């Protein structure tokens, strides 16, 4: 029966999605085995996960932590590697069936490309991969006949809503957003918000990067680009709608005017499980959905003036080329600088807007050009921010 188990590589296993992926796997150990675990710098948790799930190998991206992980696992058969290039190697292993891209940011791109080229199924959590290189990734996935199964809750909802629709065209996608912790703030209040407030999301428990992105609505902008590539629709067919209850995870409108939506509790383990068990559904220990708990479901348009990141994402994808890569790198640097207390929350869209006009535009970038764009934007902005803080 062993060969019936799906062998999973979880890249970014110590982050929020990685930990929840392992929770899903632990509920279905007859269906899944863990083949690879990788972490950036949380060595202790990586070791703990390795001892619990007994993977073939683990990778710690931060090379300085290699001796610590190696020593802690020296009594086991688990192979230990270090460095981000080892993540690329690990996902290509013969024994891996599915790669869960739970890693955060641009770092997800390279292992995803490598995994697709080896025919691995991608359970995609890392939205930045499609934001930066959606055209390349979708073409590559088609070439290698590799399914990309979304883990992002909105995209899982869309994926579930178009299931069985075969050739029926999508008229419009309503990408729902909770509105984040600052939905009801004024401009002057927004100028003073703290990092702690930004990280305090009302409905979802998430990592730092995606929490700040949710607060600025950049998360919805990135998800719009992600949806554009996953579902082959134009950006103008995708509408972000504020739905503070986070019960409807997204909706699809068809040409006859009918809409399909997917509803559920705000628990990332559900879309993770669906991506891993698709097309099957399975029981789990998540809290049951109680429709009576939610008196009403409301919808409103986002405040685009207060949250300019959303329009910046539309601008980037409409220009195309390497513009979304510039947007993504500028956002990653700006969010990181905000978390470290170097810039204000309202400076994030300013940094991004300036980057979209300043950096060199390439209309038809090769994959290598996108890596170079990311590197240039990142280095330039990081230097500027370091100057600012001196
Ligand atoms: Mg999402």
């Amino acid at each position: 029966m062993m060969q019936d188990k799906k062998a999973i590589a979880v890249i970014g296993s110590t982050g929020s999605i990685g930990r929840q992926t392992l929770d899903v796997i632990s509920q279905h150990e007859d269906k899944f085995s863990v083949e690879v675990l990788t972490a950036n710098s949380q060595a202790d948790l990586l070791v703990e996960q390795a001892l619990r799930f007994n993977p073939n190998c683990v990778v710690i991206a931060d090379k300085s932590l290699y001796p610590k992980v190696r020593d802690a696992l020296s009594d086991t058969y688990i192979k230990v590697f270090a460095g981000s290039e080892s993540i690329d190697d690990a996902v290509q292993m013969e024994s891996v069936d599915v790669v869960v891209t739970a890693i955060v940011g641009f770092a997800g791109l390279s292992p995803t490309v490598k995994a697709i080229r080896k025919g691995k199924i991608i359970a995609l959590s890392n939205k930045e991969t499609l934001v930066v290189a959606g055209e390349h990734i979708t073409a590559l996935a088609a070439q290698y006949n590799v399914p990309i199964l979304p883990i992002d809750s909105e995209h899982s909802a869309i994926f579930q809503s178009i299931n069985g629709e075969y050739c029926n065209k999508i008229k419009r996608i309503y990408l729902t957003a909770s509105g984040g912790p600052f939905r009801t703030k004024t401009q002057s209040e927004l100028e003073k918000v703290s990092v702690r407030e930004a990280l305090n999301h009302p409905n979802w428990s998430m990592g730092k990067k995606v929490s700040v992105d949710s607060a600025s609505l950049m998360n919805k902008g990135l998800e719009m680009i992600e949806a554009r590539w996953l579902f082959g629709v134009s950006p103008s067919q995708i509408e972000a709608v504020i739905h503070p209850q986070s019960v409807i995870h997204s909706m699809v409108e068809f040409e006859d005017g009918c809409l399909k939506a997917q509803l559920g509790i705000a628990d990332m383990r559900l879309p993770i499980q669906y991506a891993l068990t698709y097309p099957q559904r399975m029981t789990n220990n998540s809290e049951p959905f109680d429709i009576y708990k939610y008196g009403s479901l409301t919808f409103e348009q986002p405040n685009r003036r207060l949250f300019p990141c959303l329009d910046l994402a539309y601008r980037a994808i409409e220009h195309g080329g390497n513009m979304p890569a510039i947007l993504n790198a500028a956002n990653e640097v700006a969010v990181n600088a905000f978390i470290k207390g170097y810039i204000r929350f309202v400076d994030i869209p300013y940094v991004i807007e300036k980057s979209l006009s300043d950096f060199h535009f390439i209309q038809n970038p090769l994959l290598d050009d996108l890596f170079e764009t990311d590197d240039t934007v990142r280095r330039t902005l990081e230097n500027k921010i370091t100057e600012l803080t001196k």
Side-chain angles (χ1 to χ4, degrees), residues 95-252:
S95 52
V96 171
D97 298 316
V98 182
V99 177
V100 177
T101 66
I103 195 167
V104 178
F106 182 83
L109 178 58
S110 175
T112 306
V113 169
K114 297 285 175 9
I116 292 174
R117 288 194 174 130
K118 288 285 177 184
K120 311 300 184 193
I121 296 170
I122 306 295
L124 185 101
S125 168
N126 179 279
K127 61 192 75 171
E128 292 87 347
T129 298
L130 288 181
V131 170
V132 172
E135 197 165 2
H136 289 278
I137 293 291
T138 47
L140 206 59
Q143 186 189 338
Y144 288 88
N145 202 16
V146 161
I148 299 181
L149 304 169
I151 281 182
D152 210 347
S153 62
E154 295 78 0
H155 305 77
S156 179
I158 297 162
F159 183 58
Q160 293 180 56
S161 297
I162 61 173
N163 237 338
E165 293 292 342
Y166 305 101
C167 300
N168 290 329
K169 272 205 265 173
I170 295 173
K171 184 177 171 192
R172 193 194 330 238
I173 287 173
Y174 287 101
L175 209 53
T176 53
S178 69
F182 303 147
R183 181 171 62 91
T184 56
K185 292 247 185 284
T186 62
Q187 179 67 37
S188 59
E189 286 170 336
L190 216 51
E191 282 166 17
K192 287 175 280 204
V193 294
S194 69
V195 174
R196 217 179 47 171
E197 287 173 280
L199 296 179
N200 187 21
H201 195 275
N203 303 342
W204 296 93
S205 148
M206 306 179 291
K208 282 183 185 176
K209 160 81 170 38
V210 62
S211 294
V212 176
D213 284 346
S214 294
S216 71
L217 289 194
M218 180 52 95
N219 187 49
K220 222 37 61 177
L222 300 178
E223 290 182 347
M224 175 273 294
I225 300 176
E226 185 185 8
R228 183 257 172 277
W229 294 115
L230 276 175
F231 306 111
V233 291
S234 77
S236 62
Q237 287 173 284
I238 308 170
E239 190 166 329
V241 52
I242 306 294
H243 167 50
Q245 296 82 18
S246 294
V247 169
I248 291 180
H249 299 310
S250 276
M251 299 179 266
V252 178

